[in-house]
Amino acid sequence: MTTKQTPRSGGFTPSKKSVSAAKRDAAWLDSIANKQDARALSELFEVYGPKLKGWLMARGVGNGTAEDIVQDVMIKVWTSAHMFDPAKASFATWVYRMTRNKWIDHQRKHGRMDVRDPELMKVIADDEVPSAEEDFMTQQSTDILREHIARLTEAQQMAIRMAFLEFKTHKQISAETGLPLGTVKTRIRSAINALKTSMARHQEKLL
Amino acid sequence: MSSRIHALDPDGSVTANGRDDAITDYAAGNLSPAKHAIMSCVVELNPRAAKKAAFETNVAATLMSEIRPVPLSPLFIGETLAKLPSREPMDVAANDDPRDRLAPKPLRDLMGGQGLRDIEWKSLVPGVAVHDVLGNRRTRDGDRLYLLRAKGGVSMPEHSHRGEEWTLILSGSYLANDRVYARGDLHIEDENTEHAPQIAEGEDCICLVMTQGPLKMKSWLPRIVQQVVGI
C-alpha cells in the first residue's frame, strides 16, 4: 500500500480517460432514456456489470444471487434512465447506490425467519431510485478523490478500507483490530474529513 | 446510570457523541435492513445528513473500483434484455399524495406505497400504540422496525433494551434526558441505558423505531402488553 507520496504543488487534473468515460456513460444513458436503446444498455453493463457483480461477491453473495441482483439493477437503469442527471452524479455512484439498495432489499426479503404474504411482498419497495442524496461530485472528481484516498495515512486507509471494502461496521472493525471503538470512529471520521477538505479545496480551485 | 443521548446536532452531525459512523455504515451498505431503512428516511428529511451520505457514497463508489470485477455469465446480457419491460411514463402521483408526506418515501415504499393514514395501530399502553413495519416478526438479525404513536402529554413507559434503539421522529416531539427531539431527528440509545421519553403536549408524536431484541419494560403492565403486540 502506498501511503507516502511526493507532495505535489498543484491540484490534480482529471485524466482524459475518466472525462471520456463520463461522457460515454452520459451518452449511453441519454440513448436509453430517449431512444429506448437496448444496445446502449448492453454496452453500459458490459462495463459496469462485472464491477457490480464483483462488489456483491466480495460481500459474500453467491454467483447466482449476485447476477440476480445485477439483473434487477440493469432493469432498473432501463426504466429510470430519464432520472439520471450527469450534472449531479457520476453513473458509477448512481448505479452503486442502486446496487447497494437492491442488496439491502434482498437481505430484507430473504433474511426473515418466515415468509410473508406474497401479495404484500410484490408491492414492497421495488422502486428505489436515488433522489434524496444529491451528489456534488462528478466523474472527474472521482479520479481526484481516488488520489486523495491514496494520500491518507496508513491507519486512516486501513480503517476506511475495512469499512468500504471489507464491509465491516465500526464495531466489527474494533473487535477485529483490537482498537477501541472510539479510535476506530476517530480514524474513519478523520479520513472522511480529510477527503472532504481536499475535495473542497479542489472545487474552490475550479471556481 | 447516566444515559448517553445521541441526536442530530444543529451543526448537522447526524448524531452527537460521534455517531456519524451510522452514515459511513449506511453509505458502505453495512447496516441491517431495518437500520438502513431508518437512515434512508433520515437522509430524506435532513439535508445535512443527505450531503454527508452523498459524499460517503461517492467514496464507496470510488473504492468499488479496487474490488476485482467478476465476469458476467455469457448469457447474462441477453437474458436480461429479454426481460426488459416496455417503458411507460411513471405514475408519480400514485405514490405522492401530499397527505402521505408525513412518511418519507423509503418508508412508504416499505409499507406498500401507503402513507400513515388508515394503518392499523395496536395499543401498547393507554395513549401509546404501535404498527409493525417489517411485519411483526424478528428478522434474522434480531431487528424490529415499527411505527410508534404517542398522544401529546403522555410519558413513555420506562424501558431499556438489550441492543440499540434507533428512533426517527416523524411528527410531534418529545423530551428525553433534557433534550428535545423533533421531526427529522435521529435518536440513538445504546444498550443498557434506561429512558422514559416525555411526549410534548399537543400533537401526536409518531416515530419510526428500530429495536434489537425485546424491550425491557420496568413495570408489569407494559411487560404483559408488549408480548401481545410483539415489540
Side-chain angles (χ1 to χ4, degrees):
Chain A
M1 195 187 299
T2 35
T3 48
K4 293 247 163 66
Q5 294 189 344
T6 337
R8 299 187 213 175
S9 48
F12 298 97
T13 351
S15 71
K16 278 192 180 134
K17 204 173 133 207
S18 78
V19 174
S20 59
K23 278 192 183 153
R24 175 205 66 193
D25 292 352
W28 278 335
L29 264 295
D30 181 69
S31 225
I32 296 166
N34 297 314
K35 294 183 218 144
Q36 307 234 25
D37 183 354
R39 223 184 74 187
L41 182 72
S42 308
E43 305 213 50
L44 198 52
F45 273 75
E46 297 283 359
V47 176
Y48 286 97
K51 293 177 199 263
L52 301 174
K53 185 177 170 187
W55 182 83
L56 287 161
M57 291 185 71
R59 306 203 70 119
V61 180
N63 185 72
T65 304
E67 291 211 345
D68 287 348
I69 294 173
V70 176
Q71 181 165 77
D72 284 354
V73 172
M74 187 167 159
I75 292 171
K76 191 75 202 156
V77 168
W78 175 252
T79 55
S80 45
H82 60 288
M83 297 176 76
F84 174 72
D85 181 353
K88 282 186 184 160
S90 70
F91 177 73
T93 298
W94 199 66
V95 78
Y96 162 78
R97 194 154 55 208
M98 265 185 198
T99 308
R100 179 196 69 193
N101 291 347
K102 287 278 181 208
W103 153 239
I104 303 279
D105 269 359
H106 175 84
Q107 293 177 80
R108 179 168 51 75
K109 289 173 185 171
H110 300 276
R112 301 295 183 77
M113 283 175 167
D114 35 14
V115 180
R116 270 194 73 80
D117 175 11
E119 278 307 301
L120 187 55
M121 264 348 219
K122 240 191 286 175
V123 293
I124 273 179
D126 218 23
D127 61 324
E128 172 60 34
V129 174
S131 62
E133 304 161 44
E134 278 192 12
D135 289 297
F136 45 87
M137 204 178 288
T138 57
Q139 179 98 31
Q140 292 94 301
S141 313
T142 302
D143 253 17
I144 295 149
L145 180 60
R146 194 174 297 127
E147 291 273 7
H148 284 301
I149 290 170
R151 292 171 127 205
L152 295 171
T153 68
E154 198 162 340
Q156 287 174 328
Q157 285 203 36
M158 189 193 79
I160 68 162
R161 275 164 203 280
M162 288 184 88
F164 288 103
L165 294 173
E166 293 173 33
F167 314 112
K168 297 188 167 103
T169 63
H170 288 54
K171 271 186 192 165
Q172 289 166 330
I173 295 172
S174 162
E176 206 163 290
T177 57
L179 293 167
L181 187 58
T183 308
V184 174
K185 285 179 183 173
T186 309
R187 285 195 187 168
I188 292 181
R189 248 349 67 212
S190 69
I192 295 288
N193 289 337
L195 293 175
K196 264 186 199 161
T197 309
S198 310
M199 293 310 290
R201 212 174 284 145
H202 165 74
Q203 267 155 1
E204 268 169 28
K205 271 187 196 142
L206 293 182
L207 297 177
Chain B
M1 184 197 302
S2 77
S3 183
R4 286 167 60 205
I5 298 293
H6 313 291
L8 269 160
D9 271 352
D11 72 355
S13 91
V14 162
T15 51
N17 301 353
R19 290 306 308 254
D20 268 1
D21 59 314
I23 288 197
T24 302
D25 288 336
Y26 168 74
N30 298 345
L31 293 177
S32 70
K35 286 181 176 176
H36 190 86
I38 290 196
M39 279 305 298
S40 308
C41 293
V42 169
V43 158
E44 183 177 307
L45 296 182
N46 188 297
R48 284 173 192 264
K51 210 170 171 187
K52 290 187 177 205
F55 185 83
E56 299 202 28
T57 301
N58 275 311
V59 174
T62 301
L63 284 167
M64 186 168 70
S65 67
E66 296 194 12
I67 294 171
R68 196 173 56 87
V70 179
L72 298 166
S73 57
L75 297 176
F76 177 87
I77 299 273
E79 280 174 357
T80 308
L81 292 181
K83 287 186 182 173
L84 293 182
S86 63
R87 291 223 328 271
E88 287 149 28
M90 293 218 307
D91 193 359
V92 178
N95 207 2
D96 199 23
D97 186 320
R99 289 171 299 176
D100 287 341
R101 290 208 188 118
L102 184 62
K105 187 167 181 306
L107 175 59
R108 295 203 300 274
D109 288 343
L110 268 182
M111 296 173 67
Q114 70 172 331
L116 301 187
R117 293 171 296 139
D118 308 326
I119 60 172
E120 204 181 299
W121 293 95
K122 287 188 257 179
S123 180
L124 179 62
V125 290
V128 181
V130 296
H131 172 87
D132 295 295
V133 173
L134 286 185
N136 188 21
R137 55 198 80 202
R138 283 162 181 269
T139 51
R140 193 174 288 161
D141 49 42
D143 289 3
R144 289 156 181 231
L145 187 68
Y146 49 92
L147 285 156
L148 189 143
R149 186 189 67 193
K151 287 222 175 306
V154 311
S155 300
M156 293 296 297
E158 186 168 7
H159 64 275
S160 57
H161 7 76
R162 287 192 180 86
E164 290 181 353
E165 178 182 273
W166 290 28
T167 307
L168 170 64
I169 293 81
L170 298 177
S171 77
S173 65
Y174 65 74
L175 181 73
N177 298 50
D178 299 328
R179 183 159 189 155
V180 176
Y181 297 87
R183 180 167 170 86
D185 288 346
L186 174 65
H187 173 183
I188 299 180
E189 284 280 346
D190 288 338
E191 44 205 299
N192 307 322
T193 58
E194 281 188 0
H195 63 145
Q198 300 279 321
I199 312 299
E201 292 291 340
E203 197 183 354
D204 278 2
C205 181
I206 299 178
C207 305
L208 180 62
V209 187
M210 186 287 313
T211 47
Q212 297 172 312
L215 302 184
K216 292 181 270 186
M217 298 291 183
K218 246 192 153 179
S219 61
W220 63 272
L221 176 62
R223 228 167 22 222
I224 289 173
V225 183
Q226 79 170 135
Q227 293 179 0
V228 180
V229 301
I231 60 168

